[in-house]
Amino acid sequence: MNVGESIESIRKQWGKKLFILGHYYQQDGVLQHVDATGDSLELARRAATEQKAERIVFCGVHFMAESADILSRAHQTVYMPDIHAGCPMADMAPLREVQQVWNEIQAVTTDLSLPERSAQAGWIPVVYVNSSAAIKAFCGEHGGSTCTSSNAAKVFQWVFNQGKRILFVPDEHLGTNTARDLGLPDEAVAIYDPGKKWGGVGVEGIARARVLAWKGYCHVHTFTADDITAARRQHPGAKIIVHPETPAVAARLADAHGSTSQIIRYVEAAPAGSTVVIGTEFHLVDRLARQHRGRLAIFPLRQSVCRNMILTTEAKLLALLEQWPAEQVVRVSEPLRVNARKALARMLEVK
Ligand code: 13P
Ligand code: SF4
């Protein structure tokens, strides 16, 4: 039996007691063996509703598997084929720094009598799921919600409906793009650099902000205005769509931006014979190009691969299913779990 056949044979033996989830950025060799494929929101929902499986295998990156564990039931254990598949962006927001900034911005709102203050209410943390369980727990403890790129606008609106403002962690670009989508003026959004005094924006900047976005980013999605210009030159008449982790200067020049599932729907709705250029992780773009070959011409804005996503391979999946090593269990500690679950549950409830 080859690797793929061995995996399928083990899956058959386990039946409904095993559930394998795979993010769209995974390689095809891995995705052919999963029970559910999705973007981070869809996978969080699947993890939350899966009841029968005793073992959940997450083919993605660590924060996703942590979310699956937080949302799982007591009889379920979450595993990763490669436990080292992390997310550099998630690592850009350590708990201690976020706590410090949180205290700092409370002080600005409570201690200063700046003219803007009267118009501005308190803060609610909104945390991108691309973050550690500790940050999600912090968020839940302070009445906040997680979000993904699919529902960031809805979660932001949920905060604004309460008359509050947002500390958004850890992706400055998703924060900025979402604020702009909701019609906020540029001066209402500030990028908070935790390495600088008052985040580099000063007390006035903090007092004025309705969205304070943590200075973090995903290097896979750092497309530039030059990338867009080059694509327009190379593919005249093409539509360009980018993921909202893309810097706003480039996202603004594209025809659209959207989460992974929104990109997929955009491509499905594109008229036959048209060309679509996509700015997101290469494995997804390449798969869409193959799936729509003959109907659409699809090109990557730039060939950009998430090195962490590709750490998971068919061979590692097989090794996991054969041996179930304890080191590959993803388990969030109980105190963090309770509050992190609150933040994830709020996100899943926001309509
Ligand atoms: P989505 O799956 O929410 O589009 O996020 C993309 C991503 O970067 C996952 O890490
Ligand atoms: Fe993290 Fe970017 Fe990879 Fe997503 S694509 S897992 S945000 S590094």
Side-chain angles (χ1 to χ4, degrees), residues 23 25 39-40 63-64 128 130 149 221 243 245 259-260:
H23 190 271
Y25 293 176
D39 68 2
S40 26
F63 72 79
M64 296 178 178
Y128 194 20
N130 302 32
S149 50
H221 288 94
H243 193 277
E245 288 174 10
S259 68
T260 304

mmCIF file of all heavy atoms in Angstrom, residues 23 25 39-40 63-64 128 130 149 221 243 245 259-260, ligand 1:
data_model
loop_
_atom_site.group_PDB
_atom_site.id
_atom_site.type_symbol
_atom_site.label_atom_id
_atom_site.label_comp_id
_atom_site.label_asym_id
_atom_site.label_seq_id
_atom_site.Cartn_x
_atom_site.Cartn_y
_atom_site.Cartn_z
ATOM 1 N N HIS A 23 -7.266 23.125 6.236
ATOM 2 C CA HIS A 23 -7.422 24.496 5.726
ATOM 3 C C HIS A 23 -7.146 24.503 4.218
ATOM 4 O O HIS A 23 -6.359 23.716 3.717
ATOM 5 C CB HIS A 23 -6.466 25.456 6.460
ATOM 6 C CG HIS A 23 -6.742 26.895 6.154
ATOM 7 N ND1 HIS A 23 -6.146 27.553 5.090
ATOM 8 C CD2 HIS A 23 -7.556 27.794 6.751
ATOM 9 C CE1 HIS A 23 -6.592 28.810 5.060
ATOM 10 N NE2 HIS A 23 -7.443 28.985 6.055
ATOM 11 N N TYR A 25 -5.341 26.252 2.492
ATOM 12 C CA TYR A 25 -3.943 26.482 2.101
ATOM 13 C C TYR A 25 -3.121 25.185 2.119
ATOM 14 O O TYR A 25 -1.938 25.210 1.758
ATOM 15 C CB TYR A 25 -3.262 27.474 3.040
ATOM 16 C CG TYR A 25 -3.767 28.904 3.003
ATOM 17 C CD1 TYR A 25 -3.261 29.846 3.895
ATOM 18 C CD2 TYR A 25 -4.709 29.326 2.082
ATOM 19 C CE1 TYR A 25 -3.705 31.164 3.885
ATOM 20 C CE2 TYR A 25 -5.164 30.634 2.069
ATOM 21 C CZ TYR A 25 -4.665 31.551 2.969
ATOM 22 O OH TYR A 25 -5.090 32.851 2.960
ATOM 23 N N ASP A 39 -12.146 27.616 5.301
ATOM 24 C CA ASP A 39 -11.286 28.691 5.783
ATOM 25 C C ASP A 39 -11.345 28.676 7.304
ATOM 26 O O ASP A 39 -11.988 27.789 7.894
ATOM 27 C CB ASP A 39 -11.673 30.045 5.153
ATOM 28 C CG ASP A 39 -13.026 30.580 5.610
ATOM 29 O OD1 ASP A 39 -13.687 29.938 6.449
ATOM 30 O OD2 ASP A 39 -13.423 31.662 5.124
ATOM 31 N N SER A 40 -10.703 29.626 7.953
ATOM 32 C CA SER A 40 -10.613 29.482 9.418
ATOM 33 C C SER A 40 -11.966 29.568 10.106
ATOM 34 O O SER A 40 -12.179 28.881 11.101
ATOM 35 C CB SER A 40 -9.607 30.448 10.032
ATOM 36 O OG SER A 40 -9.415 31.567 9.279
ATOM 37 N N PHE A 63 -2.610 27.793 15.782
ATOM 38 C CA PHE A 63 -3.722 28.523 16.410
ATOM 39 C C PHE A 63 -5.062 27.919 16.006
ATOM 40 O O PHE A 63 -6.033 27.982 16.755
ATOM 41 C CB PHE A 63 -3.644 30.026 16.094
ATOM 42 C CG PHE A 63 -3.993 30.407 14.664
ATOM 43 C CD1 PHE A 63 -5.297 30.490 14.237
ATOM 44 C CD2 PHE A 63 -2.993 30.705 13.746
ATOM 45 C CE1 PHE A 63 -5.619 30.852 12.933
ATOM 46 C CE2 PHE A 63 -3.294 31.077 12.444
ATOM 47 C CZ PHE A 63 -4.612 31.140 12.036
ATOM 48 N N MET A 64 -5.145 27.335 14.820
ATOM 49 C CA MET A 64 -6.406 26.737 14.370
ATOM 50 C C MET A 64 -6.714 25.480 15.178
ATOM 51 O O MET A 64 -7.854 25.230 15.569
ATOM 52 C CB MET A 64 -6.313 26.366 12.885
ATOM 53 C CG MET A 64 -6.134 27.551 11.982
ATOM 54 S SD MET A 64 -5.975 27.043 10.265
ATOM 55 C CE MET A 64 -5.860 28.649 9.492
ATOM 56 N N TYR A 128 -8.091 38.673 16.229
ATOM 57 C CA TYR A 128 -8.098 37.823 15.036
ATOM 58 C C TYR A 128 -7.807 36.400 15.501
ATOM 59 O O TYR A 128 -6.958 36.209 16.391
ATOM 60 C CB TYR A 128 -6.984 38.330 14.106
ATOM 61 C CG TYR A 128 -6.999 37.826 12.688
ATOM 62 C CD1 TYR A 128 -8.134 37.295 12.093
ATOM 63 C CD2 TYR A 128 -5.839 37.905 11.905
ATOM 64 C CE1 TYR A 128 -8.126 36.863 10.775
ATOM 65 C CE2 TYR A 128 -5.819 37.476 10.585
ATOM 66 C CZ TYR A 128 -6.963 36.953 10.032
ATOM 67 O OH TYR A 128 -6.945 36.522 8.725
ATOM 68 N N ASN A 130 -6.045 34.346 14.320
ATOM 69 C CA ASN A 130 -4.612 34.092 14.140
ATOM 70 C C ASN A 130 -3.860 34.659 15.343
ATOM 71 O O ASN A 130 -3.152 35.666 15.257
ATOM 72 C CB ASN A 130 -4.100 34.775 12.860
ATOM 73 C CG ASN A 130 -4.825 34.314 11.615
ATOM 74 O OD1 ASN A 130 -6.004 33.994 11.657
ATOM 75 N ND2 ASN A 130 -4.137 34.284 10.500
ATOM 76 N N SER A 149 -11.158 36.626 8.990
ATOM 77 C CA SER A 149 -11.267 37.608 7.906
ATOM 78 C C SER A 149 -12.655 37.547 7.268
ATOM 79 O O SER A 149 -13.075 38.500 6.624
ATOM 80 C CB SER A 149 -10.169 37.389 6.873
ATOM 81 O OG SER A 149 -10.137 36.049 6.486
ATOM 82 N N HIS A 221 1.047 37.644 2.856
ATOM 83 C CA HIS A 221 0.064 38.504 2.193
ATOM 84 C C HIS A 221 0.544 39.954 2.013
ATOM 85 O O HIS A 221 -0.282 40.847 1.777
ATOM 86 C CB HIS A 221 -1.238 38.496 3.003
ATOM 87 C CG HIS A 221 -1.983 37.203 2.892
ATOM 88 N ND1 HIS A 221 -1.849 36.183 3.804
ATOM 89 C CD2 HIS A 221 -2.846 36.750 1.957
ATOM 90 C CE1 HIS A 221 -2.605 35.162 3.448
ATOM 91 N NE2 HIS A 221 -3.217 35.478 2.328
ATOM 92 N N HIS A 243 -6.610 38.983 -0.431
ATOM 93 C CA HIS A 243 -7.040 38.663 0.936
ATOM 94 C C HIS A 243 -6.905 39.933 1.789
ATOM 95 O O HIS A 243 -5.980 40.722 1.565
ATOM 96 C CB HIS A 243 -6.136 37.541 1.479
ATOM 97 C CG HIS A 243 -6.659 36.929 2.739
ATOM 98 N ND1 HIS A 243 -6.439 37.495 3.973
ATOM 99 C CD2 HIS A 243 -7.397 35.814 2.961
ATOM 100 C CE1 HIS A 243 -7.025 36.738 4.893
ATOM 101 N NE2 HIS A 243 -7.618 35.713 4.302
ATOM 102 N N GLU A 245 -5.662 40.477 4.570
ATOM 103 C CA GLU A 245 -4.392 40.624 5.295
ATOM 104 C C GLU A 245 -3.399 41.433 4.455
ATOM 105 O O GLU A 245 -2.273 41.692 4.869
ATOM 106 C CB GLU A 245 -3.793 39.250 5.621
ATOM 107 C CG GLU A 245 -4.551 38.502 6.711
ATOM 108 C CD GLU A 245 -4.047 37.090 6.942
ATOM 109 O OE1 GLU A 245 -2.988 36.729 6.393
ATOM 110 O OE2 GLU A 245 -4.721 36.343 7.670
ATOM 111 N N SER A 259 -12.006 37.236 2.332
ATOM 112 C CA SER A 259 -11.413 36.073 2.995
ATOM 113 C C SER A 259 -11.291 34.914 2.004
ATOM 114 O O SER A 259 -11.780 35.004 0.875
ATOM 115 C CB SER A 259 -12.305 35.646 4.153
ATOM 116 O OG SER A 259 -13.513 35.144 3.627
ATOM 117 N N THR A 260 -10.716 33.839 2.450
ATOM 118 C CA THR A 260 -10.507 32.695 1.561
ATOM 119 C C THR A 260 -11.822 32.228 0.938
ATOM 120 O O THR A 260 -11.914 32.036 -0.278
ATOM 121 C CB THR A 260 -9.830 31.560 2.354
ATOM 122 O OG1 THR A 260 -8.620 32.085 2.915
ATOM 123 C CG2 THR A 260 -9.516 30.384 1.475
HETATM 124 P P1 13P B 1 -8.877 32.695 6.306
HETATM 125 O O1 13P B 1 -8.891 31.224 6.257
HETATM 126 O O2 13P B 1 -9.770 33.197 7.406
HETATM 127 O O3 13P B 1 -9.176 33.370 5.032
HETATM 128 O O4 13P B 1 -7.425 33.166 6.779
HETATM 129 C C1 13P B 1 -6.314 33.030 6.022
HETATM 130 C C2 13P B 1 -5.118 32.751 6.812
HETATM 131 O O5 13P B 1 -4.158 33.439 6.765
HETATM 132 C C3 13P B 1 -5.113 31.584 7.621
HETATM 133 O O6 13P B 1 -4.014 31.623 8.376
#
